[in-house]
């Protein structure tokens, strides 16, 4: 079981700390630097991963000392959970640390970050450590049948078109095979939608049936489980994935984290990223071609676009052209700006045009 | 003095009222707010000068009352010697009356245009006469005088004069009603008095504002500044107009004796040489010098070699009193650092002796994101206006303060940070940029002195910051080695089920210092001090530790008692603690002991200073012994060279 292996890995870290101390050395831990400058494209996996740049957390500094001490406490905590067959949310871990004396976390950010650091150091995922995020509730509507193991341990079959209400099937935090299996699907592609308003519009217009699509509401920057599920549908069911967002720099980043891997979780990009995902807009060209209502870019938008020009993940002719164009016209647009031409325009005209162009719709 | 002569000359042609109206801005009455500040300044300067001349510790009372919209009454009262009755109208009712003209000495009254101008302003703007009460010690009664100025004749016009009973032994009170506006904050009466209090720590100043709020700037020293000596003008510092005036009014009969008796550093031999160079007879009457002849003499002045003027006529505030004054007035802001103020040696520019002093405070509640506050003084008088034009401001802007730890864009301009910089220029003649006497002109000699003084302050600031930064970093490490590391050791041993490892080698690697601190407990005036010495180095250490206790009497100690300190010979093993103690009586309110060390590299010790005699050693203290050079933020090398290079 991967939890046992993860635990073994944590134990090795504790052992290493102990031995450094016993040798009279200042204890330290090494991990990959998690910033834009340290991600490289992995050709064999087709995703962006951390490069070779490492940072050292040493007990010579307060931060490093705390991190080492907390790691030891977390190790013990995880050992207990595995023994008792429990799991905890990241927030629960934050509260449990109240009893850890000096090692107590001072904010949940600290504990979330340490959970990520441990993933990076050990190469295991936080689920292996029996840690899970709070529910994020991204949802699916479309003709796909899923089998989920419910909390009583029984398999339960759900068709995401017929067995769900208007809000669709809620994606659980664990979407691995031992928890969730695909039984049957009758669709041509998966479309991830950034905003709830647009997701509802597509549902109301019956786009899932008309275009034989699986609609996934990705809810802004998507949670890990959403990204993981998109990837599984793409790989296991062979469905193309397209992403439909607002037309602004932040939405470009949503797409990048789905298709190329997020900077924060580049250590597990091969689990989460869908390299073949395509972007269906809104692009800067769409703003011009469809003459959409716009907002002016603010200073933060401009800075974000400029940072993207330096981000290796966006280093393609398509993205550079679109980013530069947006900087040029100094404008951004929401997906729902398409309503300018009527409520059906997005499902009757815009998406069919874009999807046909991509060869996803016939 | 230029304005005086100009005014004297013009008085013949136009009425003083007309002159005043035309020159309001020169005289400082160019706005309602400023008029009030300038008036208070004139009155307070007069009061301080009068007290000091009479060797009396000044007690000044200032009150501003609102009497109408934009109309205020200024009241300034002093405990000076008073003014004899017949002189009262002349002092207050005649422009440019006074004894100061031609006097070469450091005085406040050198600046500004005199209290009579305030009387005139009050009369012109409010229509009301000034009220003066003055009493001299010898008299039984005080005299109350109401007067205005006859603007046609520049003469006092007495409206009422009568003896009254005044419950003061002596002193003078002036009341003038004027059009004005009262504000607080920058360039206000409050600021003027606050700054006056800083540089006059021997004065007690009480201020009552229009809303009744009362502020007392307490006297912090009973010592009057030494009396200023009058000196004769030096030929190199004289101006043509002045020279002609001196020649007209001299009582000598021969040009040579005029030169030797009325100028400093002119011997008979030099006087003859001057006459020769000017193609003039030494026995001509000085009163008969023509303009071109006078010009020739001035020209000759510049050609002869003369001794510099005497400088002992200056009275600096002094390092101790600057610090006291700053503490007294700015103490409520709890600055973390008072630099040792700098009083430079007297210097000379163009025949005029001058002296520069500077002080600085840093930290506390001073704003961090604002330009530093600059306090400028000329002959103990605050300068509130024209900051940008002042040589003090220019000198400050010209220094790269970044190397001393203040923010400064591009390394020039007024730096930003929680600091107050004080600069005082004292001279028998302060060179002002204009007749308004609001800013000191850029004279290279003065500027250089100011810059040297400021750099000396900057170095102290840097020292302080380096030390504080290091202490902070080390107390963080202290927490790591005393709390976190033992926890890591315990927990990791528990997990791997092995004995807890020895931490000493790791601790010495992280700290590598000797740490000295103390714990103070006590009651009923008895204080127990426990001194902790932690040797966090890899080696045994041996040194002498001295405890200098600022108050109390020693009752008991495990060290040896010397004159007024305690001494321990310390021998301590690597990574170990040692405790010592002493008990004091009559020491309630005890806050901190000063520890000194000897016989060890002080850069290895935190919490104690090298014995003061070892001052030079202190410099290598700054060379960071911290092996983590990567987290030293300022990469500038701070070497001994820099410490001495700009000293002369």
């Amino acid at each position: 079981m991967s939890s046992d292996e993860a635990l073994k890995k944590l134990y090795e870290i504790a052992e290493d700390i102990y031995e450094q101390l016993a040798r009279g050395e200042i204890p330290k831990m090494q991990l990959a630097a998690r910033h834009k400058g340290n991600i490289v494209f992995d050709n064999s996996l087709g995703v962006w991963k951390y490069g070779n740049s490492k940072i050292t957390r040493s007990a010579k500094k307060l931060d490093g000392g705390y991190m080492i001490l907390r790691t030891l406490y977390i190790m013990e905590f995880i050992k207990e959970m595995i023994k008792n067959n429990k799991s905890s949310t990241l927030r629960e871990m934050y509260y449990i640390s109240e009893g850890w004396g000096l090692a107590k976390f001072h904010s949940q950010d600290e504990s979330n970050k340490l959970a990520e650091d441990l993933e990076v150091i050990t190469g295991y995922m936080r689920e292996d450590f029996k840690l899970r995020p709070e529910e994020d509730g991204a949802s699916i509507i479309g003709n796909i049948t899923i089998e989920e193991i419910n909390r009583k341990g029984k398999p339960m079959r759900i068709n995401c078109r017929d067995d769900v209400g208007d809000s669709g099937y809620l994606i659980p935090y664990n979407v691995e095979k031992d928890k969730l299996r695909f039984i049957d699907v009758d669709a041509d592609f998966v479309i991830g939608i950034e905003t709830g308003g647009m997701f509802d519009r597509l549902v109301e217009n019956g786009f899932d049936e008309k275009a034989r699509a699986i609609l996934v509401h990705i809810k802004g920057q998507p949670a890990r489980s959403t990204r993981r599920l998109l990837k599984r549908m793409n790989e296991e069911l062979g469905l193309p994935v397209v992403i439909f967002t607002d037309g602004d720099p932040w939405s470009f980043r949503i797409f990048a984290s789905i298709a190329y891997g997020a900077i924060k979780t580049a250590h597990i990009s091969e689990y989460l990223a869908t390299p073949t995902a395509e972007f269906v807009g809104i692009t800067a060209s769409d703003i011009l071609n469809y003459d959409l209502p716009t907002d002016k870019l603010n200073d933060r938008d401009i800075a974000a676009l400029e940072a993207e020009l330096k981000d290796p993940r966006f280093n393609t002719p398509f993205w550079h052209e679109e980013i530069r164009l947006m900087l040029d016209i100094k404008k951004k647009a929401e997906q729902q700006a398409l309503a300018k031409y009527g409520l059906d325009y997005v499902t009757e005209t815009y998406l069919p045009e874009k999807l046909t162009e991509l060869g996803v719709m016939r | 003095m230029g304005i005086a002569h100009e005014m004297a000359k013009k008085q013949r042609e136009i009425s003083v009222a007309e002159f005043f109206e035309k020159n309001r801005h020169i005289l400082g009455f160019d706005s309602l707010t400023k008029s009030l500040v300038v008036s208070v300044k004139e009155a307070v300067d007069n009061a301080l000068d009068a007290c000091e001349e009479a060797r009396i510790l000044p007690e000044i009372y200032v009150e501003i009352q609102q009497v109408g919209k934009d109309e205020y009454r200024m009241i300034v009262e002093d405990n000076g010697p008073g003014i004899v009755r017949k002189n009262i109208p002349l002092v207050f009712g005649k422009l440019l009356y006074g004894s100061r003209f031609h006097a070469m000495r450091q005085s406040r009254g050198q600046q500004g245009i005199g209290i009579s101008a305030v009387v005139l302003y009050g009369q012109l703007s409010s229509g009301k006469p000034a009220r003066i009460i003055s009493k001299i010690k010898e008299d039984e009664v005080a005299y109350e005088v109401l007067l205005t100025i006859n603007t046609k004749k520049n003469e006092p016009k007495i409206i009422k004069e009568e003896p009254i009973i005044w419950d003061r032994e002596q002193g003078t009170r002036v009341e003038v009603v004027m059009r004005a506006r009262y504000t607080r904050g920058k360039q206000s009466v409050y600021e003027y008095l606050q700054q006056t209090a800083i540089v006059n720590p021997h004065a007690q100043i009480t201020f009552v504002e229009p809303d009744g709020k009362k502020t007392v700037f307490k006297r912090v020293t009973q010592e009057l500044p030494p009396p200023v000596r009058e000196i004769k003008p030096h030929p190199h510092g004289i101006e043509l107009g002045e020279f002609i005036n001196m020649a007209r009014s001299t009582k000598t009969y021969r040009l040579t004796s005029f030169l030797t008796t009325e100028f400093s550093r002119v011997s008979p031999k030099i006087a003859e040489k001057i006459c020769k160079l000017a193609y003039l007879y030494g026995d001509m009457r000085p009163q008969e010098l023509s303009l071109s002849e006078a010009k020739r003499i001035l020209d000759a002045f510049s050609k002869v070699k003369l001794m510099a003027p005497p400088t002992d006529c200056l009275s600096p505030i002094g390092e101790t009193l600057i610090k006291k004054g700053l503490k007294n007035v700015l103490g409520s802001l709890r600055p973390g650092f008072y630099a040792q103020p700098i009083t430079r040696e007297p210097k000379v520019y163009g025949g005029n002796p001058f002296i520069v002093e500077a002080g600085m405070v840093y930290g506390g509640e001073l704003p961090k994101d604002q330009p530093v506050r600059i306090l400028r003084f000329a002959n103990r008088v605050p300068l509130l206006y024209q900051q940008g034009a002042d040589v003090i401001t220019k000198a400050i802007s010209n220094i790269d303060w970044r190397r001393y730890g203040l923010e400064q864009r591009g390394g020039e301009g007024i730096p930003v940070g929680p600091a107050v910089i004080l600069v005082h220029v004292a001279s028998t003649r302060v060179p002002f940029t204009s007749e308004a006497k609001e800013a000191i002109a850029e004279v290279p000699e003065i500027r250089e002195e100011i810059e040297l003084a400021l750099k000396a302050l900057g170095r102290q600031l840097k020292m302080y910051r380096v030390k504080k930064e290091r202490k902070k970093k080390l107390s963080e490490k202290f927490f790591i080695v005393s709390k976190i590391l033992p926890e890591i050791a315990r927990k990791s041993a528990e997990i791997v089920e092995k004995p807890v490892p020895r931490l000493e080698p790791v601790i010495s690697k992280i700290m590598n210092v000797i740490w000295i601190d103390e714990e103070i407990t006590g009651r009923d005036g008895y204080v127990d001090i426990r001194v902790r010495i932690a040797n966090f180095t890899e080696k045994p250490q041996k040194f002498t530790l001295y405890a200098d206790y600022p108050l109390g009497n020693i009752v008991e100690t495990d060290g040896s008692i010397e004159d007024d300190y305690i001494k321990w010979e310390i021998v301590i093993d690597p990574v170990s603690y040692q405790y010592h103690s002493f008990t004091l009586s009559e020491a309630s309110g005890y806050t901190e002991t000063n520890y000194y060390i000897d016989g060890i590299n002080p850069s290895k010790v935190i919490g104690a200073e090298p014995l003061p005699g070892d001052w030079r050693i202190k410099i290598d203290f700054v060379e960071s012994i911290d092996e983590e050079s990567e987290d030293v933020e300022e990469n500038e090398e701070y070497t001994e060279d820099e410490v001495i290079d700009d000293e002369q």
Side-chain angles (χ1 to χ4, degrees):
Chain A
M1 217 172 109
S2 60
S3 280
D4 291 334
E5 282 159 30
L7 189 62
K8 206 175 132 219
K9 192 85 193 179
L10 283 177
Y11 180 83
E12 278 166 21
I13 292 169
E15 213 170 24
D16 186 33
I17 301 284
Y18 179 86
E19 261 149 37
Q20 291 183 56
L21 275 175
R23 282 198 300 271
E25 290 167 12
I26 302 170
K28 59 179 190 295
M29 293 164 88
Q30 267 206 335
L31 60 155
R34 292 160 61 196
H35 56 77
K36 193 168 72 188
N38 188 37
I39 57 169
V40 290
F41 191 73
D42 185 318
N43 275 319
S44 60
L45 298 169
V47 293
W48 293 84
K49 300 280 290 174
Y50 290 125
N52 292 325
S53 160
K54 299 258 187 242
I55 54 165
T56 301
R57 298 282 179 75
S58 149
K60 160 161 94 168
K61 297 269 183 61
L62 210 49
D63 288 353
Y66 274 123
M67 177 175 173
I68 292 170
L69 184 58
R70 283 168 178 157
T71 303
L72 296 172
Y73 272 94
I74 288 185
M75 208 220 106
E76 214 179 39
F77 171 60
I78 292 169
K79 199 168 144 189
E80 281 300 299
M81 285 198 296
I82 291 174
K83 209 169 86 187
N84 298 325
N85 205 12
K86 286 249 162 63
S87 69
S88 99
T89 65
L90 290 167
R91 187 147 191 85
E92 283 166 338
M93 178 170 85
Y94 163 64
Y95 284 122
I96 281 168
S97 82
E98 284 285 333
W100 293 359
L102 276 177
K104 160 180 171 338
F105 291 111
H106 298 105
S107 70
Q108 203 187 332
D109 260 9
E110 278 182 350
S111 58
N112 291 358
K113 198 157 171 296
L114 186 54
E116 270 166 13
D117 283 342
L118 288 180
E119 290 183 325
V120 175
I121 296 170
T122 59
Y124 287 90
M125 304 234 288
R126 61 189 180 199
E127 286 76 10
D128 300 325
F129 301 140
K130 301 285 179 188
L131 295 171
R132 58 189 152 84
E134 277 72 66
E135 201 41 73
D136 37 54
S139 48
I140 302 180
I141 279 184
N143 191 4
I144 179 170
T145 305
I146 282 167
E147 187 180 84
E148 192 186 324
I149 310 295
N150 70 13
R151 60 190 186 285
K152 299 219 169 91
K154 297 251 161 60
M156 197 174 88
R157 285 193 182 191
I158 300 160
N159 180 283
C160 298
R161 182 187 63 194
D162 303 331
D163 305 338
V164 298
D166 289 349
S167 53
Y169 167 73
L170 289 190
I171 302 172
Y173 86 89
N174 180 359
V175 295
E176 294 308 316
K177 278 180 189 152
D178 55 346
K179 168 83 177 167
L180 191 150
R181 290 194 308 131
F182 301 125
I183 302 300
D184 189 27
V185 65
D186 184 23
D188 293 338
F189 64 98
V190 179
I191 180 167
I193 301 136
E194 178 181 355
T195 65
M198 184 51 77
F199 178 76
D200 292 344
R201 168 60 42 224
L202 265 51
V203 171
E204 191 178 304
N205 290 5
F207 190 69
D208 55 325
E209 297 195 43
K210 271 183 225 161
R212 295 177 46 74
I214 294 181
L215 313 181
V216 181
H217 176 202
I218 56 179
K219 276 203 155 176
Q221 189 61 257
R224 283 189 189 186
S225 55
T226 309
R227 282 183 277 156
R228 176 69 179 146
L229 198 65
L230 286 173
K231 182 183 177 68
R232 283 190 60 198
M233 289 195 280
N234 174 254
E235 282 191 348
E236 293 170 29
L237 305 175
L239 295 176
V241 171
V242 298
I243 304 299
F244 182 28
T245 69
D246 287 340
D248 64 37
W250 316 100
S251 301
F252 298 168
R253 290 179 183 192
I254 289 172
F255 172 74
S257 74
I258 292 169
Y260 310 137
I263 291 172
K264 255 175 74 172
T265 55
H267 55 295
I268 42 177
S269 285
E270 66 268 36
Y271 294 102
L272 301 179
T274 309
T276 58
E278 297 268 10
F279 190 62
V280 289
I282 309 284
T283 61
S285 318
D286 293 336
I287 292 176
L288 296 179
N289 295 342
Y290 292 90
D291 190 22
L292 296 177
T294 55
D295 285 318
K296 257 184 76 120
L297 292 182
N298 60 35
D299 292 348
R300 284 185 55 235
D301 294 332
I302 291 166
L305 285 168
E306 273 160 5
E308 282 163 15
L309 285 175
K310 294 186 197 112
D311 187 328
R313 297 174 302 166
F314 287 103
N315 193 8
T316 67
F318 168 78
W319 279 115
H320 273 217
E321 207 173 291
E322 287 297 338
I323 291 166
R324 291 222 169 85
L325 183 59
M326 185 167 279
L327 281 168
D328 216 37
I329 62 176
K330 296 190 178 66
K331 284 180 177 131
K332 59 183 178 184
E334 294 185 354
Q335 329 184 261
Q336 295 182 72
L338 290 162
K340 172 185 178 186
Y341 301 108
L343 296 176
D344 293 339
Y345 186 76
V346 64
T347 45
E348 297 296 324
T349 313
Y350 178 83
L351 284 174
E353 271 178 27
K354 298 283 283 198
L355 291 167
T356 311
E357 195 182 308
L358 289 171
V360 172
M361 234 168 110
R362 289 175 294 262
Chain B
M1 254 171 268
I3 183 89
H5 295 283
E6 199 180 324
M7 286 178 77
K9 206 165 68 205
K10 285 184 178 166
Q11 274 159 27
R12 281 172 227 124
E13 294 145 24
I14 54 168
S15 82
V16 285
E18 208 176 317
F19 176 80
F20 186 89
E21 275 308 323
K22 278 193 178 145
N23 294 286
R24 280 173 80 126
H25 61 287
I26 293 179
L27 302 170
F29 294 92
D30 42 357
S31 79
L32 288 182
T33 314
K34 200 171 161 190
S35 298
L36 189 61
V37 179
V38 168
S39 300
V40 170
K41 173 174 138 68
E42 288 302 331
V44 170
D45 289 354
N46 270 3
L48 286 169
D49 271 344
C51 289
E52 280 165 31
E53 259 169 59
R55 310 305 297 158
I56 294 166
L57 282 170
E59 248 162 63
I60 314 280
Y61 175 86
V62 180
E63 183 174 351
I64 307 294
Q65 297 170 345
Q66 182 156 19
V67 292
K69 188 182 181 288
D70 288 346
E71 199 165 281
Y72 289 84
R73 175 180 292 116
M74 170 197 84
I75 302 168
V76 176
E77 193 180 308
D78 66 51
N79 62 336
I83 303 162
V84 292
R85 187 178 60 94
K86 71 173 176 44
N87 275 351
I88 294 174
L90 291 172
V91 169
F92 293 94
K94 188 172 166 63
L95 254 66
L96 308 171
Y97 180 85
S99 58
R100 293 195 194 99
F101 300 97
H102 296 306
M104 290 295 283
R105 66 172 173 191
Q106 178 190 332
S107 75
R108 298 185 179 80
Q110 200 196 69
Q111 302 160 47
I113 29 88
I115 186 69
S116 47
V118 177
V119 172
L120 180 61
Y121 172 71
Q123 157 188 347
L124 292 175
S125 67
S126 77
K128 297 195 175 88
R131 176 171 182 250
I132 294 109
I133 301 173
S134 193
K135 179 174 180 299
I136 61 172
K137 220 176 192 167
E138 294 78 23
D139 286 350
E140 288 288 306
V141 292
Y143 287 92
E144 179 189 20
V145 181
L146 293 187
L147 60 78
T148 57
I149 297 173
N150 176 335
T151 53
K152 288 241 162 54
K153 296 185 189 153
N154 185 19
E155 266 175 9
K157 190 173 138 198
I158 296 164
I159 292 166
K160 184 177 125 184
E161 183 186 48
E162 60 182 26
I164 59 160
I165 301 295
W166 201 34
D167 63 350
R168 311 281 198 281
E169 198 180 338
Q170 60 183 31
T172 304
R173 177 184 174 102
V174 195
E175 293 180 15
V176 179
V177 178
M178 65 188 81
R179 253 172 73 71
R181 189 162 296 150
Y182 186 81
T183 58
R184 280 198 77 152
K186 275 203 153 181
Q187 301 180 338
S188 64
V189 174
Y190 185 92
E191 192 188 27
Y192 171 75
L193 293 175
Q194 183 193 43
Q195 294 194 18
T196 301
I198 293 176
V199 290
N200 294 281
H202 60 287
Q204 171 118 348
I205 301 173
T206 305
F207 178 40
V208 178
E209 292 176 72
D211 61 2
K213 190 168 177 270
K214 184 171 160 184
T215 309
V216 180
F217 299 103
K218 283 202 180 116
R219 174 179 298 131
V220 285
T221 174
Q222 302 299 320
E223 233 174 285
L224 272 165
V228 284
R229 269 202 316 124
E230 207 167 291
I231 61 162
K232 288 179 245 168
H234 189 276
H236 287 169
I238 199 88
E239 283 166 14
L240 184 61
E242 263 174 284
F243 179 76
I244 290 173
N245 271 312
M246 285 172 72
R248 294 259 189 286
S249 56
T250 181
K251 293 196 171 66
T252 56
Y253 295 102
R254 292 160 50 92
L255 181 55
T256 44
S257 51
F258 168 61
L259 294 176
T260 53
T261 53
E262 305 220 353
F263 289 91
S264 75
R265 306 302 201 202
V266 179
S267 63
K269 214 172 151 190
I270 289 175
E272 266 170 42
K273 198 172 173 194
I274 291 169
C275 294
K276 216 168 148 192
L277 283 168
Y279 304 105
L280 290 168
Y281 293 110
D283 55 2
M284 75 174 288
R285 284 173 59 83
Q287 291 83 351
E288 288 167 4
L289 279 171
S290 71
L291 185 64
S292 66
E293 285 166 342
K295 273 186 186 159
R296 294 214 303 268
I297 290 185
L298 247 62
D299 197 38
F301 278 168
S302 66
K303 285 178 185 152
V304 291
K305 265 202 157 175
L306 293 168
M307 271 175 75
T311 54
D312 55 357
C313 54
L314 297 174
S315 123
I317 304 165
E319 297 174 357
T320 317
L321 289 182
I322 290 178
K323 200 164 167 178
K324 270 194 179 168
L326 285 168
K327 268 195 176 156
N328 184 34
V329 176
L330 301 173
S332 59
L333 296 167
R334 308 192 176 284
F337 173 65
Y338 290 86
Q340 178 63 26
I342 305 295
T343 296
R344 301 280 308 167
E345 289 296 309
K347 290 280 153 63
V348 173
Y349 80 91
N352 302 295
F354 73 95
I355 197 163
V356 166
E357 300 181 280
M360 174 189 253
V361 300
Y362 178 85
E365 290 160 30
L366 291 165
K368 291 187 175 60
D369 52 353
Q370 309 261 314
V372 302
R373 188 164 160 210
I374 301 170
L375 306 180
R376 302 174 291 135
F377 300 92
N379 289 350
R380 294 181 187 240
V381 174
L383 303 176
L384 301 188
Y385 301 97
Q386 297 272 341
Q387 174 166 301
D390 199 302
V391 66
I392 294 172
T393 313
K394 286 179 185 161
I396 289 173
S397 304
N398 193 39
I399 287 173
D400 186 346
W401 288 94
R402 295 174 303 183
R403 66 196 307 198
Y404 304 125
L406 294 175
E407 281 174 39
Q408 191 184 32
R409 188 173 289 179
E412 55 182 19
I414 298 176
V416 169
V420 177
I421 297 174
L422 172 155
V423 178
H424 177 219
V425 177
S427 177
T428 50
R429 176 190 290 173
V430 177
F432 288 103
T433 54
S434 72
E435 298 294 359
K437 309 202 170 177
E438 292 169 339
I440 304 171
E442 178 150 9
V443 172
E445 291 91 338
I446 295 181
R447 177 166 173 156
E448 196 192 334
E449 282 297 302
I450 296 173
E451 286 189 8
L452 289 174
L454 291 171
K455 282 180 182 167
L457 294 175
R459 285 192 297 274
Q460 292 183 48
L461 175 65
K462 169 91 177 183
M463 280 271 202
Y464 165 76
R465 285 176 45 101
V466 166
K467 234 163 124 176
K468 211 180 140 191
E469 189 56 35
R470 183 151 179 258
K471 172 103 193 181
K472 196 181 135 204
K473 209 177 279 168
L474 276 159
S475 52
E476 191 178 295
K477 287 190 175 174
F478 189 82
F479 180 72
I480 293 173
V481 300
S482 61
K483 295 280 194 290
I484 296 197
L485 209 56
E487 263 292 278
I488 292 176
R490 189 186 63 75
K491 200 79 198 168
S492 64
E494 190 183 303
I495 291 169
V496 301
E497 295 169 349
K498 285 182 184 167
V500 177
R502 269 182 71 239
L503 288 177
E504 286 79 356
V506 184
I507 290 176
S508 67
K509 267 185 194 144
I510 292 179
M511 296 290 283
N512 200 26
V513 290
I514 294 152
W515 179 279
I516 296 171
D517 60 6
E518 66 181 0
E519 197 182 278
I520 300 168
T521 50
R523 63 192 163 89
D524 303 337
Y526 281 88
V527 173
D528 292 310
I529 290 113
R530 190 164 183 249
V531 192
R532 175 170 62 174
I533 302 154
N535 178 6
F536 289 132
T537 68
E538 296 168 291
K539 296 191 185 108
Q541 299 288 350
K542 188 166 169 280
F543 56 94
T544 314
L545 176 70
Y546 302 85
D548 173 13
Y549 47 97
L551 62 110
N553 300 314
I554 191 86
V555 177
E556 201 184 345
T557 178
D558 61 345
S560 55
I561 301 169
E562 308 281 330
D563 298 336
D564 50 356
Y565 55 87
I566 308 163
K567 187 172 135 184
W568 291 273
E569 297 297 339
I570 306 289
V571 179
I572 183 167
D573 289 335
V575 195
S576 67
Y577 293 87
Q578 205 174 93
Y579 296 89
H580 295 284
S581 65
F582 58 98
T583 304
L584 298 170
S585 65
E586 288 169 58
S588 46
Y590 196 88
T591 52
E592 188 176 16
T593 315
N594 296 313
Y595 291 100
Y596 296 101
I597 36 145
D598 197 14
I600 188 168
N601 178 355
S603 67
K604 275 201 170 331
V605 182
I606 296 298
E609 300 295 312
L611 261 192
D614 289 347
W615 180 248
R616 275 282 142 202
I617 294 173
K618 210 168 183 178
I619 285 150
D620 47 3
F621 158 81
V622 183
E623 283 174 29
S624 177
I625 58 142
D626 205 330
E627 82 273 28
E628 308 161 90
S629 53
E630 80 268 18
D631 46 17
V632 175
E633 285 154 12
E634 288 149 321
N635 290 319
E636 278 183 36
E637 283 298 322
Y638 191 75
T639 62
E640 185 164 349
D641 279 345
E642 204 230 315
V643 174
I644 52 174
D645 68 0
D646 46 15
E647 287 294 346
Q648 37 174 263

